[in-house]
Amino acid sequence: MGFPDWFNYEQNCTTMNKKQALPWDNPRFHNWIAVGRACQVMGLALARALAPLDLKPPHLDILVNLYRAPGISQQDLADKLLVGRSNLSMLLPQLEKRGLLVRSNDPQDRRILRLELTPEGTRLTEEAIVIQSQIIDRAMKTADTDECNLVGEVMTRIIRELTTSDAEKQQDAGKSLQKNA
């Protein structure tokens, strides 16, 4: 199976040491590029589809998480979205100003801000979820159920590999050795 020439070797060659391994010489490189491009294209398609609602994908990420977990803390939301609280602090006021969410102090700990959708935020989120689902269905219909499941399993393994620290891997290896002993 051939791959489109997304990365022109001659055009992008640098003065790297000729003995140094080049990423595009790795047989997995084209697959990695395809995954990255698919993610990028999905993001662009979602952004275009959300534009009439005056939403961007980062806004949708916030709204969907509040829809699924009403009252989540600002810190827990930042952790879930893999962003810093400062990034979130820039987006939340935009949504709050539009009347889509409210922030309130936690009754037990006033340092914690709790987030909830307003009725308008819930309505807009439900509309956006329909749009997002249509895009996902359009993209995933190119593969059968088994292929979709395989892609999901492989992406989950990649996420686990890239988010697990070396210390955690060593700890898991130690537990594995203890079990087998």
Side-chain angles (χ1 to χ4, degrees):
M1 174 177 188
F3 292 94
D5 186 17
W6 290 319
F7 200 93
N8 183 332
Y9 172 82
E10 298 299 325
Q11 179 181 347
N12 295 298
C13 189
T14 65
T15 56
M16 292 174 67
N17 178 342
K18 296 296 180 191
K19 293 180 183 177
Q20 186 174 0
L22 301 171
W24 47 89
D25 290 338
N26 181 332
R28 295 175 173 167
F29 181 75
H30 290 287
N31 293 330
W32 182 253
I33 293 295
V35 167
R37 289 181 59 84
C39 182
Q40 211 170 19
V41 169
M42 283 289 290
L44 291 171
L46 183 60
R48 280 193 303 270
L50 292 174
L53 301 180
D54 194 25
L55 287 177
K56 293 182 170 60
H59 296 129
L60 181 60
D61 288 342
I62 292 168
L63 295 173
V64 167
N65 275 281
L66 297 183
Y67 187 83
R68 294 187 68 197
I72 190 170
S73 74
Q74 192 167 322
Q75 181 60 55
D76 288 345
L77 180 61
D79 293 345
K80 208 169 174 52
L81 296 176
L82 303 175
V83 300
R85 277 185 29 201
S86 59
N87 288 353
L88 205 52
S89 312
M90 294 170 55
L91 295 169
L92 292 176
Q94 297 169 9
L95 297 171
E96 194 172 29
K97 185 176 179 181
R98 288 180 60 187
L100 302 177
L101 66 84
V102 292
R103 293 188 272 186
S104 58
N105 288 334
D106 184 291
Q108 279 76 39
D109 187 343
R110 297 191 56 80
R111 296 171 298 175
I112 297 174
L113 283 176
R114 298 280 173 197
L115 306 167
E116 289 193 54
L117 293 176
T118 63
E120 175 59 16
T122 299
R123 186 201 62 74
L124 188 67
T125 301
E126 288 171 346
E127 192 175 340
I129 288 171
V130 169
I131 292 169
Q132 183 182 39
S133 295
Q134 290 169 345
I135 292 171
I136 292 168
D137 288 344
R138 179 178 169 207
M140 298 310 281
K141 76 178 181 186
T142 63
D144 66 32
T145 301
D146 289 339
E147 290 172 318
C148 287
N149 291 339
L150 179 60
V151 168
E153 290 167 17
V154 171
M155 293 300 111
T156 299
R157 289 195 312 257
I158 289 171
I159 291 165
R160 190 177 312 116
E161 174 62 27
L162 296 177
T163 57
T164 304
S165 71
D166 289 337
E168 289 172 312
K169 288 178 193 172
Q170 289 174 351
Q171 189 177 30
D172 288 345
K175 287 179 186 175
S176 208
L177 288 174
Q178 288 174 348
K179 266 187 183 175
N180 295 332

